Amino acid sequence: MAARPWQNPKASRTIQILEAHAIKKSYGSGESYFEALKGVSLSIAAGESVAIVGKSGSGKSTLMHLLALLDTPDDGRIVVEGTDADSLSATALNKLRNSAFGFVFQQFFMIPNASVLENVVLPLKIAGMPRGRRTERGMDVLRQVEMDDKAGNLATALSGGQKQRMVIARALANEPRIIFADEPTGNLDSATGTVVEDLLFELNERHGITLVIVTHDEELAERCDRRIYLKDGLIVDSAATAVEVRR
Amino acid sequence: MSFAEIVRTAIGNAFRSKLRTTLTVLAIFVGAFTLTLTNGVGTGITNYIDTQVSSLGATDIIMISQASLAEGGAFGQAASGPTEYDPDKAVVAGQMGSQFAALTNTDLAAIRAIGGILSVEPLRIVSPDYIGSEGGKKYEFTVNPSPAGSRVALLAGTGFTDGATPELLLPAAYVEPLGFASPSAAVGATLTIGVSDVFGQKHEVEARVAGVQEDTIFAFGMIISEGLTDALYSAQTAGLPAAAAEIYPMAVARFSPTAGPAQVKEIKAALEAGGYSGRTVADQLGAVNTVINGIVGVLNAFAVIALIAASFGIINTLLMSVQERTREIGLMKAMGMGRSRIFALFTTEAVVIGFLGSAIGSGVAIALGTVISTVLADGPLKDLAGLRVLEFNPVSVVVVILVVMLLAFLSGTLPAARAAKLDPIEALRYE
């Protein structure tokens, strides 16, 4: 059976892969001024699975965007694998996102009119990997999500569950150390949702990939090692799942 | 993403919306097609003129006249106002009613003394009355005033045997009226030329047909040998005192055929200092070329206007593309694609569209132009041997394509900059 993350040699709990120190973020000005994050600090260990839970407007998506370095905080610091994100150039930041992060979004975000394989190898193409190796690696990850028989299909012709599996394969393509998932099962029925969830946790447990899942789905959050509850831009609670409770 | 990868992706992207891309390509096609055709006309006619240089005269000669004649010059050089009348200037009352400030033997000696000039011959204008064959009809004709050394394409015959024999080159149009079955039948025949002197006395001079010339747009009239000119001129000036016979409207000077433009310029400056004006064949051609270049320039301007309109089409197409692919762009940026790469991706797409439009446009223009000029050359323009109305110079075709690609790139910068500026979060949130 799958090893527990902390028993996985790849995942050492002592290394903090992602840290946020008192980050603040606001949008707009005047009447439309809105403070999305009011000073959030957290620390995520390598190999951990963390759920960021909150209602819409709680700032959970903003927090994920900041952690994924898609945006910069107004105040506070974000440290990725010991490096302050502030100190990185735009090019280094792009390179870090490309090589270390994988993204799974609720709305899939695929290239229409392109094949499943072409969609999956997009991060590798951006990284500049030659075509041959790209295809090889793309087929590998498609096999991992049991979609290799659909490689040549048009991405838009897939079912919802298949699309999300394809997106997970895309997130996996560059062998990321962290996968950011924003409501990964939001658009799926519960049966296919469960399949996608299983896939994500399997990656976490087998390969030690750190999972950061933004969700308002309490059941999905329960499956994570740790939950961070956000309300009005502040962490209001956090809880670790006892080993016995975990599946 | 490597450059090759960007080009490949851009080509793929360009064809994602086939109808839109096709329409934009079509707009560029029209501009590039027109530009290639107008350039083709310019090249065709310029080439024709260049090959006709020989019919205007040799390139190592310079036509010299008194400066006042050139000022009111044949090709409308701006005169600096009317020239004051000078009673001491010798004037030739031209047979056609015009007046020329004339050159005398003293002038010829002065010109001969100028460095770089090898020889000077006076240009003797002869105006015979008619030409006719033994017992046949008589026809009016003009003598080509081109100086000796002119070369024309001959339909038959071998040209003058030597300068001294009275010979002529018959224009093709005279072959049949003079009773010859073919150009070759005319060669060797002896024709009679009638000429009157200033007192109205008729004289007849005999001349041999040394060849039949092809019709061209520049060579008009009969080309006659030095010997025939001598014979006609002496008949024409019979009874005149030497002082009246020995004034000439123009003189023809030769310079070294190897002389460069700088040396020609020096000779002209020396002539000007002496109160003369010199025009080389290049000067005469320059005036014709200026007119043709002007016409081609105006046509090109229309084509460029079409291309500018087409470039707005590119901007529009790509802006729609950016709008449609907002999320995709956001995703690529989230996955670490840099701004410059996004910018390159969209400008390359514009360049691909520009290349397609211009390459297809030029290709079709070349194909169509070649057919048209072949049809014209075999049909309506058959008499102008060697004229191909449309000719395509590979360099100028490549330049047209490159210019269109540059224009497309410039059009692509606006949409591309917009794509590069997209905030990934905003883009991913975009509905």
Side-chain angles (χ1 to χ4, degrees):
Chain A
M1 263 318 291
R4 292 286 174 234
W6 51 90
Q7 292 166 338
N8 188 326
K10 272 194 193 167
S12 163
R13 283 268 154 144
T14 55
I15 296 172
Q16 300 301 311
I17 196 164
L18 209 50
E19 292 164 74
H21 299 284
I23 50 173
K24 288 183 183 170
K25 183 76 185 175
S26 59
Y27 296 106
S29 62
E31 291 220 350
S32 64
Y33 181 80
F34 169 65
E35 205 170 10
L37 291 177
K38 299 170 180 167
V40 169
S41 298
L42 58 84
S43 174
I44 296 169
E48 204 180 4
S49 62
V50 175
I52 299 171
V53 194
K55 295 197 176 106
S56 64
S58 61
K60 59 184 194 301
S61 289
T62 305
L63 177 59
M64 192 204 84
H65 291 148
L66 291 175
L67 290 175
L69 308 178
L70 291 173
D71 208 349
T72 48
D74 300 336
D75 197 22
R77 293 187 308 128
I78 291 170
V79 179
V80 181
E81 294 173 320
T83 313
D84 196 325
D86 258 355
S87 69
L88 295 173
S89 68
T91 314
L93 216 71
N94 279 334
K95 206 167 171 188
L96 178 67
R97 271 212 307 276
N98 182 260
S99 63
F101 297 171
F103 295 94
V104 176
F105 299 99
Q106 182 180 357
Q107 299 99 326
F108 317 131
F109 298 132
M110 323 162 293
I111 301 176
N113 307 327
S115 72
V116 169
L117 181 67
E118 281 173 81
N119 267 282
V120 167
V121 298
L122 185 60
L124 304 177
K125 199 166 156 183
I126 291 170
M129 190 187 277
R131 189 182 281 247
R133 272 178 57 209
R134 216 158 67 198
T135 306
E136 210 173 289
R137 173 74 190 147
M139 290 309 294
D140 275 353
V141 286
L142 278 174
R143 220 166 284 126
Q144 235 173 309
V145 299
E146 289 166 18
M147 289 274 292
D148 46 327
D149 55 328
K150 300 271 194 293
N153 289 26
L154 215 57
T156 36
L158 298 177
S159 72
Q162 287 171 332
K163 278 180 187 164
Q164 199 58 301
R165 265 150 67 199
M166 177 192 79
V167 169
I168 291 172
R170 184 177 67 192
L172 276 177
N174 53 359
E175 302 183 66
R177 299 188 282 283
I178 309 174
I179 287 182
F180 293 94
D182 188 356
E183 302 282 10
T185 57
N187 267 356
L188 305 174
D189 61 64
S190 54
T192 38
T194 308
V195 173
V196 167
E197 280 173 29
D198 288 348
L199 188 58
L200 284 172
F201 286 107
E202 193 192 303
L203 293 171
N204 172 244
E205 289 174 17
R206 280 240 187 107
H207 303 283
I209 296 172
T210 307
L211 269 187
V212 178
I213 301 174
V214 169
T215 187
H216 60 262
D217 177 356
E218 196 49 50
E219 261 177 69
L220 171 58
E222 284 293 333
R223 293 184 67 175
C224 294
D225 296 337
R226 193 148 61 94
R227 287 167 299 287
I228 293 165
Y229 292 93
L230 234 62
K231 194 183 177 188
D232 299 330
L234 286 169
I235 294 178
V236 288
D237 195 7
S238 84
T241 306
V243 176
E244 310 82 61
V245 181
R246 267 181 130 250
R247 178 181 54 95
Chain B
M1 216 182 228
S2 69
F3 178 69
E5 198 66 65
I6 285 179
V7 172
R8 248 200 305 270
T9 311
I11 292 172
N13 286 348
F15 284 104
R16 244 200 265 168
S17 178
K18 287 193 185 64
L19 180 64
R20 204 164 59 202
T21 302
T22 308
L23 289 174
T24 315
V25 165
L26 213 60
I28 298 163
F29 169 91
V30 172
F33 175 81
T34 316
L35 196 56
T36 310
L37 275 189
T38 54
N39 266 340
V41 171
T43 311
I45 293 181
T46 311
N47 278 356
Y48 179 64
I49 290 169
D50 286 346
T51 53
Q52 296 289 319
V53 166
S54 49
S55 72
L56 273 180
T59 50
D60 58 343
I61 58 173
I62 187 162
M63 306 281 284
I64 298 163
S65 61
Q66 291 281 10
S68 58
L69 167 66
E71 270 172 26
F75 278 107
Q77 281 148 321
S80 52
T83 310
E84 209 186 312
Y85 174 68
D86 180 357
D88 295 337
K89 248 181 201 170
V91 166
V92 171
Q95 289 86 346
M96 288 162 275
S98 55
Q99 287 197 333
F100 298 103
L103 297 169
T104 61
N105 283 342
T106 331
D107 291 318
L108 296 183
I111 293 166
R112 204 168 283 125
I114 291 172
I117 285 184
L118 303 179
S119 67
V120 179
E121 286 301 325
L123 186 75
R124 289 163 302 182
I125 290 188
V126 289
S127 42
D129 301 330
Y130 60 84
I131 187 164
S133 54
E134 194 77 44
K137 284 186 186 165
K138 294 167 177 169
Y139 295 93
E140 288 184 357
F141 75 105
T142 50
V143 169
N144 186 337
S146 293
S150 295
R151 293 179 304 269
V152 287
L154 295 178
L155 287 173
T158 49
F160 301 138
T161 41
D162 57 64
T165 321
E167 284 175 324
L168 55 83
L169 299 177
L170 199 63
Y174 281 82
V175 170
E176 245 177 85
L178 287 172
F180 300 111
S182 68
S184 46
V187 176
T190 303
L191 296 173
T192 310
I193 296 169
V195 63
S196 337
D197 62 29
V198 284
F199 307 108
Q201 195 72 42
K202 305 272 182 203
H203 302 269
E204 282 199 339
V205 173
E206 293 208 323
R208 181 183 163 273
V209 178
V212 176
Q213 12 165 343
E214 243 173 41
D215 290 331
T216 74
I217 56 172
F218 290 115
F220 52 94
M222 201 109 32
I223 294 176
I224 61 177
S225 71
E226 197 74 14
L228 185 53
T229 308
D230 285 343
L232 288 173
Y233 196 75
S234 57
Q236 198 174 288
T237 55
L240 276 183
E246 285 172 1
I247 55 174
Y248 315 101
M250 275 192 177
V252 180
R254 280 178 189 279
F255 51 86
S256 165
T258 56
Q263 282 160 279
V264 174
K265 216 173 159 186
E266 249 171 61
I267 294 172
K268 278 203 232 169
L271 284 170
E272 224 163 278
Y276 309 106
S277 162
R279 282 169 72 84
T280 60
V281 171
D283 293 337
Q284 283 168 277
L285 270 186
V288 176
N289 276 338
T290 306
V291 172
I292 285 164
N293 286 343
I295 293 169
V296 170
V298 169
L299 292 176
N300 278 351
F302 285 120
V304 168
I305 288 169
L307 281 174
I308 289 170
S311 67
F312 283 104
I314 296 182
I315 297 177
N316 195 30
T317 298
L318 285 180
L319 279 179
M320 281 170 77
S321 238
V322 170
Q323 193 87 354
E324 257 173 33
R325 306 211 293 254
T326 298
R327 286 164 155 219
E328 187 186 322
I329 296 162
L331 181 74
M332 290 197 290
K333 289 191 103 175
M335 286 177 172
M337 186 141 163
R339 275 174 173 231
S340 57
R341 295 301 159 100
I342 301 265
F343 183 85
L345 190 61
F346 279 89
T347 46
T348 308
E349 189 175 332
V351 171
V352 165
I353 291 174
F355 172 74
L356 278 178
S358 58
I360 298 174
S362 298
V364 172
I366 291 171
L368 197 69
T370 308
V371 170
I372 287 176
S373 64
T374 307
V375 169
L376 285 180
D378 292 345
L381 301 179
K382 204 170 181 180
D383 294 340
L384 297 175
L387 172 60
R388 291 189 66 83
V389 178
L390 289 151
E391 261 184 273
F392 301 97
N393 172 1
V395 174
S396 68
V397 171
V398 168
V399 166
V400 166
I401 293 176
L402 288 180
V403 165
V404 172
M405 283 168 80
L406 177 70
L407 204 62
F409 171 81
L410 293 177
S411 311
T413 54
L414 174 72
R418 186 172 280 195
K421 265 209 311 256
L422 276 180
D423 173 7
I425 297 169
E426 286 297 318
L428 290 174
R429 221 181 264 150
Y430 175 85
E431 293 297 329

